[in-house]
Amino acid sequence: GALAVAAARTRNGAHARNGGRPCAAVLGEPLPAALDDGLGLLVHPSADFAAGALVSSTQQYREMYQRSIDDPAGFWSEIAEEFYWKHKWNPDEVCSENLDVTKGAIKIEWFKGGKTNICYNAVDRNVEAGNGDKIAMYWEGNEPSDDGKLTYSELLDKVCQLANYLKSVGVGKGDAVVIYLPMLMELPIAMLACARIGAVHSVVFAGFSADALAQRIIDCKPKVVITCNAVKRGLKTIPLKDIVDTSLAESAKNGADVGICLTYENQSALSKVDTRWKPGRDVWWQDVVPNFPTKCDVEWVDAEDPLFLLYTSGSTGKPKGVLHTTGGYMVYSATTFKHAFDYKPTDIYWCTADCGWITGHSYVTYGPLLNGATVLVFEGAPNYPDPGRCWDIVDKYGVTIFYTAPTLIRSLMRDGTEYVSRHSRKSLRVLGSVGEPINPTAWRWFYDVIGDSRCPISDTWWQTETGGFMITPLPGAWPQKPGSATFPFFGVQPVIVDEKGWELEGECSGYLCIKKSWPGAFRTLYGDKDRYETTYFKPFAGYYFSGDGCRRDKDGYHWLTGRVDDVINVSGHRIGTAEVESALVSHPKCAEAAVVGIDHEVKGQGIYAFVTLVDGVPYSDDLRKSLIMTVRSQIGAFAAPDKIHWAPGLPKTRSGKIMRRILRKIASRQLDELGDTSTLAEPGVVDQLIALSDS
Ligand code: ATP
Ligand code: MG
């Protein structure tokens, strides 16, 4: 708990600026036989699972990790050799970097001099290896009766046709293309087609408003916008094309006049005749793309040429335009996918993330296809027609790897286990979680109920900026502690620093930074080098600063404690919001919780907790007291919430994360300072919370 953390900071004061090293438990000391994770026993992978795993013991992990740190150039070159390069990189420039703002401009370059193409590696290479008939993608529509599939050869044909079309309208290397599509197979196809011709894609989540889309179009000035006429989510039809029309009109007034809006006709949602149309600008996909040849030459690009631009979720403020390049991202997304999910060629892999987020880039599209995997793309909503949909899909396709977010796990948990247990789920072998810290209670439910206590969980900590996993279990290698993201991926050197930038060693808690670059690192914020350096490299000179807080326990396991802006200091105790939320959610009547700090005359800061209750449970004074008691007994009296605010719903980003910055303003009644709310999924929730403030 947090008390133990506070004590550890003074007890283990040993630290060394830039001289720290990864915790001993990572580097070679054997794990003690029994560990105290505060919640009971360690969770070991079964002997069978470990025996068949790519990395099957802590010892093997340690050796590989050590090598990746001692000789990053050698380690990553060997992996990069497995891909196709038109020209090999300069052997003495595998990585060149400067992460220290005091020594000049920030620079990160990998595989300099190399020429390759990520589309070629993700698609053509699999066909050429004889896997043309393997299913690349299964597609499951909004309606359970709607589905489809593509083999690798068919995928290649479709990608080439679209690439040829884009070339025919003048899109070339370095040009931006905005993609505003729901989870149709055309979405990854469009990403790959751009990559094939060296164009830079910027996918905008198709749940964003016209304003949010316009903002992004104005920022990157695409030659083409790719969309579809409409989409159905559950019972709701969303007229995407109308939204695009509004944002294109808005963008044109702001210096971004987009010449072409390529529109896929999504017949199941809306007919052609009912779609608003601007002749000259708007083009039906089905009218043009199928007429193009199914062969299209690859544009060989430099390893450091841009691959895509993607805006962050906007949990902490205005979204940042993260730019990724080609070579390093390719090697990193593929390698992290392979190891964190212990990928086998027979796997059927399903990630519930939308391609509008980084997770959909690295772990729906690029990572899996680069490994020749079979990926499931799901258009619909996880609770339509009922909350058993996910397990229906798992059984229908025989899904073996299921990767999702804590927000979905908590919501399915609230719906009850009967929706789960009536499906077999026996095909599942690995589970994954991303997006927020996963509370131990949700972890347990995911593990025991969804995975029948058989499937290891990869709790992957990473960011849009990191391109791929940074701290994650390797499922066959580590015994797990529910709620911990465990250990760093190969080549990643996480350090925990204090306010002054001193590296803390051993058991500690503080700001999570990364010490050296890794191949998947982003290279800049588009058009804003200053914000890039200020946000990530200036807070702690010499390090990449993640913005997240982290605790390392005595065994070297990493526990993400939430955003550092969210750390609450109560009478000198630093308390991570995630820890208090975990305690609240462990209460059987609490479905979700979000904790923020408020000014407090005596304690400096007090704890203000928003709680959502399990369906049908009424809020009462007794329940309030019992929630507070739960926190007191699990963490300590100092962490007891000063105020419990009943919340029928919480403000979330469209990617499902709780927006604590808005809750902070509500808690402190600064209602005119709510800030950027354009990434909110349901703006109505905010008014509802304000109305309930004084209940
Ligand atoms: P913005 O940067 O615009 O505020 P964001 O940080 O939510 O938005 P993303 O890049 O999508 O945008 O999310 C990365 C963040 O999500 C991490 O910094 C971390 O706070 C959180 N996160 C992701 N995975 C995990 C995880 N497994 N455990 C804990 N936190 C996680
Ligand atoms: Mg962020």
Side-chain angles (χ1 to χ4, degrees):
L3 185 57
V5 176
R9 283 169 59 80
T10 42
R11 222 178 29 237
N12 291 328
H15 49 226
R17 190 170 193 117
N18 286 331
R21 57 192 166 79
C23 180
V26 177
L27 290 183
E29 281 163 27
L31 285 167
L35 296 168
D36 170 22
D37 64 355
L39 277 164
L41 295 171
L42 278 177
V43 181
H44 289 266
S46 72
D48 269 5
F49 187 98
L54 290 168
V55 180
S56 56
S57 66
T58 54
Q59 186 55 32
Q60 192 187 350
Y61 162 82
R62 285 186 187 117
E63 285 164 17
M64 290 174 76
Y65 181 77
Q66 190 63 59
R67 157 113 208 275
S68 74
I69 300 303
D70 293 345
D71 176 22
F75 181 88
W76 289 112
S77 295
E78 262 168 41
I79 294 174
E81 302 271 5
E82 294 166 27
F83 295 86
Y84 180 80
W85 297 78
K86 186 73 184 168
H87 284 294
K88 220 181 129 172
W89 57 91
N90 310 330
D92 48 353
E93 283 187 288
V94 175
C95 170
S96 39
E97 67 180 30
N98 172 40
L99 300 190
D100 191 342
V101 272
T102 65
K103 295 188 178 139
I106 298 299
K107 181 182 89 166
I108 297 173
E109 289 175 337
W110 281 84
F111 307 111
K112 195 72 181 150
K115 274 194 181 297
T116 187
N117 183 290
I118 196 170
C119 171
Y120 181 85
N121 276 289
V123 189
D124 307 50
R125 193 172 51 106
N126 292 312
V127 175
E128 278 157 28
N131 290 323
D133 293 335
K134 181 172 177 179
I135 302 291
M137 271 180 222
Y138 282 115
W139 178 76
E140 168 86 359
N142 183 60
E143 296 303 325
S145 53
D146 265 359
D147 54 24
K149 57 178 186 248
L150 286 179
T151 64
Y152 270 94
S153 301
E154 290 165 342
L155 175 63
L156 178 58
D157 289 355
K158 298 229 177 238
V159 167
C160 285
Q161 287 182 315
L162 180 60
N164 279 322
Y165 166 76
L166 290 172
K167 282 207 291 199
S168 80
V169 296
V171 178
K173 186 171 169 216
D175 291 333
V177 172
V178 163
I179 304 172
Y180 185 74
L181 279 171
M183 289 296 276
L184 303 172
M185 288 193 278
E186 281 66 23
L187 174 43
I189 288 171
M191 295 163 75
L192 291 162
C194 290
R196 187 170 195 88
I197 61 174
V200 181
H201 57 72
S202 183
V203 182
V204 178
F205 173 57
F208 274 126
S209 64
D211 274 357
L213 174 60
Q215 247 180 45
R216 288 158 178 75
I217 291 174
I218 293 163
D219 200 40
C220 72
K221 303 193 174 38
K223 277 204 170 151
V224 174
V225 171
I226 304 180
T227 187
C228 73
N229 54 347
V231 63
K232 278 189 83 171
R233 255 182 95 75
L235 295 169
K236 223 166 76 193
T237 302
I238 305 153
L240 291 185
K241 178 62 169 48
D242 290 359
I243 297 172
V244 174
D245 283 354
T246 310
S247 53
L248 286 179
E250 178 66 25
S251 320
K253 283 188 240 150
N254 289 280
D257 203 353
V258 180
I260 293 171
C261 177
L262 182 68
T263 309
Y264 185 82
E265 186 197 356
N266 193 9
Q267 283 147 345
S268 60
L270 187 71
S271 74
K272 233 168 157 168
V273 288
D274 292 327
T275 306
R276 266 197 262 158
W277 209 245
K278 186 173 168 189
R281 184 197 66 191
D282 299 346
V283 180
W284 286 111
W285 174 308
Q286 283 95 328
D287 286 353
V288 291
V289 176
N291 304 331
F292 281 84
T294 53
K295 297 260 172 309
C296 172
D297 285 346
V298 165
E299 178 80 36
W300 301 107
V301 301
D302 194 273
E304 284 300 333
D305 276 337
L307 173 64
F308 66 83
L309 172 63
L310 179 68
Y311 294 84
T312 57
S313 310
S315 308
T316 56
K318 190 172 174 290
K320 302 174 274 277
V322 165
L323 186 90
H324 280 283
T325 57
T326 305
Y329 175 83
M330 172 174 82
V331 171
Y332 200 70
S333 60
T335 311
T336 45
F337 171 82
K338 176 170 148 186
H339 284 291
F341 296 126
D342 186 46
Y343 170 70
K344 303 278 187 300
T346 47
D347 277 319
I348 309 287
Y349 165 78
W350 180 23
C351 165
T352 62
D354 191 284
C355 286
W357 313 116
I358 188 67
T359 306
H361 282 61
S362 302
Y363 303 111
V364 173
T365 306
Y366 292 115
L369 297 179
L370 285 163
N371 281 281
T374 298
V375 185
L376 177 81
V377 174
F378 175 44
E379 179 195 25
N383 51 4
Y384 175 80
D386 70 37
R389 183 72 188 275
C390 290
W391 324 120
D392 217 21
I393 295 175
V394 164
D395 286 353
K396 175 171 171 185
Y397 297 93
V399 171
T400 58
I401 306 173
F402 177 70
Y403 184 34
T404 192
T407 180
L408 180 70
I409 299 166
R410 288 190 300 258
S411 111
L412 294 173
M413 209 167 120
R414 190 168 35 186
D415 291 324
T417 55
E418 59 278 13
Y419 288 106
V420 185
S421 52
R422 68 175 190 221
H423 297 276
S424 142
R425 292 160 287 108
K426 69 172 189 302
S427 55
L428 290 173
R429 69 181 198 92
V430 179
L431 304 174
S433 169
V434 61
E436 289 181 292
I438 177 166
N439 334 91
T441 318
W443 195 102
R444 276 281 166 202
W445 189 82
F446 198 24
Y447 185 79
D448 292 333
V449 178
I450 304 304
D452 283 329
S453 311
R454 268 185 304 111
C455 312
I457 297 177
S458 285
D459 173 8
T460 59
W461 176 80
W462 62 299
Q463 309 178 293
T464 309
E465 295 88 340
T466 68
F469 304 148
M470 298 296 279
I471 301 182
T472 176
L474 302 187
W478 286 105
Q480 301 200 10
K481 299 188 184 189
S484 165
T486 72
F487 292 91
F489 192 73
F490 304 129
V492 174
Q493 291 192 54
V495 292
I496 298 175
V497 303
D498 66 11
E499 310 70 56
K500 300 209 172 78
W502 293 90
E503 279 182 29
L504 302 169
E505 286 190 1
E507 201 177 341
C508 60
S509 168
Y511 302 86
L512 179 58
C513 292
I514 313 289
K515 204 169 169 166
K516 285 278 195 183
S517 84
W518 60 98
F522 70 137
R523 305 302 200 244
T524 193
L525 290 181
Y526 184 70
D528 205 346
K529 194 87 188 173
D530 280 352
R531 194 178 178 201
Y532 174 66
E533 299 202 336
T534 308
T535 309
Y536 304 103
F537 297 97
K538 285 197 179 149
F540 302 104
Y543 303 96
Y544 165 76
F545 173 46
S546 69
D548 287 343
C550 185
R551 173 163 71 83
R552 193 162 49 209
D553 70 17
K554 63 185 191 313
D555 305 308
Y557 282 67
H558 292 80
W559 301 78
L560 278 298
T561 52
R563 323 270 172 171
V564 292
D565 307 350
D566 296 334
V567 169
I568 306 171
N569 196 324
V570 182
S571 312
H573 298 289
R574 289 166 50 85
I575 303 170
T577 48
E579 310 197 58
V580 184
E581 288 161 10
S582 273
L584 287 166
V585 173
S586 74
H587 189 289
K589 292 187 174 156
C590 179
E592 198 153 40
V595 163
V596 298
I598 42 161
D599 291 343
H600 191 287
E601 275 177 29
V602 182
K603 300 190 268 190
Q605 276 191 300
I607 295 181
Y608 192 113
F610 294 83
V611 297
T612 302
L613 303 177
V614 169
D615 256 357
V617 171
Y619 185 61
S620 68
D621 199 49
D622 282 349
L623 179 55
R624 184 181 64 82
K625 287 181 187 146
S626 138
L627 286 165
I628 293 173
M629 268 317 295
T630 305
V631 180
R632 290 178 77 102
S633 65
Q634 281 190 22
I635 305 179
F638 68 95
D642 297 277
K643 163 90 184 170
I644 301 271
H645 185 145
W646 173 53
L650 290 167
K652 291 189 181 170
T653 62
R654 280 158 210 266
S655 57
K657 299 182 201 200
I658 298 167
M659 283 167 101
R660 289 181 191 70
R661 67 184 163 87
I662 290 185
L663 293 174
R664 267 200 300 271
K665 298 296 178 190
I666 297 176
S668 58
R669 307 289 186 272
Q670 294 166 293
L671 302 179
D672 44 354
E673 295 171 30
L674 294 178
D676 182 6
T677 53
S678 66
T679 58
L680 261 178
E682 289 175 58
V685 165
V686 173
D687 292 334
Q688 190 185 36
L689 280 181
I690 294 171
L692 286 167
S693 282
D694 299 306
S695 62

